[in-house]
């Protein structure tokens, strides 16, 4: 008989009732005391489960001291027993580790295969989506849409970083410009001029404060430049099929987006560039503070950054919901897009990583960053209140209830006044930094779908529901 642990003939042999294996009594008792299991079958085992085997015993002489050879042999035997027990335990642990490593390697290989399959399916879906137009027909040029979700190029990232560094340093200490409108002056604002109906069903307009020119568009891609001084259309352009959804000035160049998925850039009344990348309606456009990046959002659940130095798509990022609004942070490092899923998604401009999500009460109708750099105003569709979000806390710090639906929002340059437009009229809310309280210096019954601040804040321009421009100022 040999011990199942040491492999030697046991001096005091015992057998396990459960496994039937033979062990040296002192070795198995030591193992049970430490692990409580059978070392061979790994079953629960106690000393009561051991049966001592009867064998012929030979009386050993007691070693007198450790200086004698018999005593030394006894010590060596004990050490050998401990070493044999430890070696057996290590072998078991090695076997278990090998099994765990094999399982981990198998799971890692399976995960890599799944990721590769999902990436391939995503690329195929993007390619198929890029070939679909707003009406479900292949695009006329047949070129696939350029999709890049890895972020901006190094040159554009450098511009974003330089712009953020320049603007963020002076924002807190920036004084209110001389001659800027005051709360008392806003109390005297009233309609002083109204144009004829320019473009029926117009949704948005853009104001060039240097030339007092309004860019506005309507049905069938019609776009016009309205001179506030001359009170007439001085230039007309066409952005292609579909209705004009948004308009913007980039310097002296006019930009318009349409329901057909196009973004057109005009210079001196002539088409300068045509940008397309959305599979469906372009819902909003926004300009980066650097002036070199144009953003657009669409019903295809994506937003696109265009490099205006090359007039090409810089990057396109797909989200999980149709996007309705777009806005850049005043420092240019963040981009916000509202969606039909009632969320405002905030992205890092450089990496396209989702920095935060703000949950509203319904599909997002309008958003506007405050020039203080910390607040974001938003309004949901059919909502009668404006939520003021603190970007640092990612929470609503104030809610402005105006008791009527909201169509558009626009902060002024100083971050004191928030213009709120809706079908029931125009309201301006004032936030006082000294008292930390809100007030309402202006309320006028001009039905509006869009609103912009004029030069110095001394005028407010509203786009009426009939497509005309109304100017409010002190009489």
């Amino acid at each position: 008989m040999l011990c199942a642990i040491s492999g030697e003939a046991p001096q005091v042999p015992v057998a396990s009732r459960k496994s039937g294996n033979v062990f040296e009594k002192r070795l198995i008792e030591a193992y049970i005391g430490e692990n409580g299991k059978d070392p061979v079958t790994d079953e629960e085992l106690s000393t009561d489960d051991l049966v001592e085997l009867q064998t012929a015993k030979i009386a050993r002489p007691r070693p007198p001291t450790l200086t004698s050879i018999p005593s030394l042999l006894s010590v060596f035997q004990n050490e050998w027993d401990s070493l044999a027990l430890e070696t057996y335990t290590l072998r078991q642990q090695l076997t278990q580790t090998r099994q765990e490593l094999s399982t981990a390697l198998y799971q890692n290989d399976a995960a890599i295969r799944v990721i590769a399959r999902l990436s391939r399916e995503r690329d195929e879906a993007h390619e198929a989506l890029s070939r679909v137009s707003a009406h479900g027909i292949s695009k006329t040029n047949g070129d696939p849409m350029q999709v890049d979700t890895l972020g901006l190029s190094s040159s554009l990232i450098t511009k974003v970083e330089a712009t953020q560094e320049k603007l963020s340093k002076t924002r807190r200490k920036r004084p209110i410009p001389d001659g800027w409108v005051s709360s008392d002056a806003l109390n005297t604002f009233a309609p002083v001029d109204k144009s004829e109906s320019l473009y029926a069903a117009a949704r948005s307009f853009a104001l060039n404060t240097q030339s007092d020119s309004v860019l506005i568009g309507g049905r069938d891609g019609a776009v016009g430049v309205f001179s506030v001084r001359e009170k007439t259309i001085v230039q007309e352009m066409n952005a292609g099929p579909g209705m004009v959804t948004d308009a913007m000035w980039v310097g002296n160049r006019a930009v318009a987006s349409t329901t057909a998925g196009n973004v057109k850039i005009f210079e001196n009344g002539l088409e300068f560039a045509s940008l397309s990348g959305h599979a469906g309606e372009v819902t909003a456009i926004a300009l980066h503070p650097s002036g070199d990046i144009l953003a657009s959002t669409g019903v295809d659940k994506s937003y696109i950054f265009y490099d205006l130095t090359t007039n090409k798509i810089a990057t396109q990022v797909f989200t999980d919901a149709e996007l309705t609004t777009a806005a850049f942070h005043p420092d240019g490092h963040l981009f916000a897009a509202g969606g039909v899923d009632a969320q405002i998604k905030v992205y890092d401009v450089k990496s396209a990583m989702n920095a935060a999500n703000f949950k509203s009460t319904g599909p997002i109708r309008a958003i506007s960053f405050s020039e203080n750099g910390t607040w974001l105003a938003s309004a949901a569709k059919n909502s009668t209140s404006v939520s003021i979000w603190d970007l640092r806390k990612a929470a609503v710090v104030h809610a402005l209830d105006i008791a009527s639906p909201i169509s558009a929002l626009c902060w002024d340059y100083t971050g004191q006044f928030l213009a709120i437009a809706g079908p029931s009229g125009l309201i301006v809310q004032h936030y006082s930094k000294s008292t930390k309280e809100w007030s309402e210096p202006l309320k006028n019954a001009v039905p509006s779908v869009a609103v912009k601040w004029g030069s110095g804040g001394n005028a407010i321009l509203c786009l009426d529901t009939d497509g005309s421009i109304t100017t409010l100022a002190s009489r």
Side-chain angles (χ1 to χ4, degrees), residues 8-43:
E8 296 181 351
Q11 296 179 3
V12 182
V14 293
S16 170
R17 295 179 185 270
K18 295 186 177 181
S19 66
N21 290 299
V22 177
F23 303 97
E24 175 67 57
K25 184 176 182 179
R26 64 176 183 280
L27 292 181
I28 188 61
E29 287 180 346
Y31 188 90
I32 292 175
E34 183 177 350
N35 300 287
K37 296 181 180 180
D38 190 300
V40 177
T41 62
D42 209 30
E43 295 179 343

Side-chain angles (χ1 to χ4, degrees), residues 15-265:
S16 170
R17 295 179 185 270
K18 295 186 177 181
S19 66
N21 290 299
V22 177
F23 303 97
E24 175 67 57
K25 184 176 182 179
R26 64 176 183 280
L27 292 181
I28 188 61
E29 287 180 346
Y31 188 90
I32 292 175
E34 183 177 350
N35 300 287
K37 296 181 180 180
D38 190 300
V40 177
T41 62
D42 209 30
E43 295 179 343
E44 295 293 333
L45 189 67
S46 66
T47 55
D48 295 335
D49 297 322
L50 300 178
V51 177
E52 188 170 345
L53 303 178
Q54 299 298 325
T55 58
K57 295 183 180 179
I58 301 175
R60 291 187 176 185
R62 180 179 300 175
T65 61
L66 290 178
T67 56
S68 66
I69 292 177
S71 63
L72 288 174
L73 290 175
S74 177
V75 171
F76 292 155
Q77 181 65 50
N78 292 336
E79 291 295 331
W80 170 257
D81 293 341
S82 299
L83 181 61
L85 186 61
E86 182 180 1
T87 302
Y88 185 85
T89 303
L90 290 176
R91 285 177 179 173
Q92 283 190 321
Q93 293 176 350
L94 176 60
T95 302
Q96 182 179 0
T97 302
R98 284 177 174 174
Q99 292 176 348
E100 292 175 351
L101 177 60
S102 177
T103 302
L105 291 175
Y106 175 82
Q107 293 175 345
N108 179 71
D109 181 72
I112 291 175
R113 292 175 182 273
V114 171
I115 292 172
R117 178 176 58 82
L118 292 177
S119 298
R120 183 175 65 255
E121 292 176 354
R122 180 204 60 187
D123 294 340
E124 291 174 353
H126 285 180
E127 183 178 359
L129 184 62
S130 68
R131 297 179 181 275
V132 181
S133 68
H135 304 290
I137 308 173
S138 296
K139 294 186 177 181
T140 54
N141 56 17
D143 294 332
M145 176 178 60
Q146 297 179 5
V147 178
D148 180 9
T149 57
L150 300 178
L152 301 179
S153 64
S154 58
S155 60
L156 288 180
I157 289 177
T158 301
K159 292 180 182 179
V160 172
E161 292 175 343
T163 301
Q164 179 186 2
E165 182 179 5
K166 177 182 177 181
L167 297 179
S168 61
K169 284 183 178 179
T170 59
R171 186 167 304 284
R172 289 289 183 183
K173 300 179 181 179
R174 187 175 67 189
I176 297 176
D178 294 335
W180 198 265
V181 68
S182 65
S183 181
D184 293 337
L186 280 171
N187 284 319
T188 66
F189 271 34
V192 297
D193 187 47
K194 181 177 181 178
S195 72
E196 61 182 5
S197 180
L198 303 174
Y199 293 95
R203 300 186 187 180
S204 176
F205 75 100
L207 174 63
N208 188 331
T209 56
Q210 295 181 350
S211 61
D212 272 345
S213 299
V214 170
L215 181 65
I216 185 174
R219 295 190 180 97
D220 300 323
V223 182
V225 177
F226 174 76
S227 173
V228 178
R229 297 192 190 101
E230 301 176 16
K231 301 179 181 180
T232 185
I233 297 287
V234 296
Q235 212 169 63
E236 289 188 303
M237 299 153 284
N238 191 279
M243 179 178 288
V244 175
T245 57
D246 205 356
M248 174 165 292
W249 288 103
V250 179
N252 291 322
R253 292 174 179 169
V255 183
S257 60
T258 69
T259 55
N262 295 320
V263 177
K264 299 283 188 177
I265 302 178

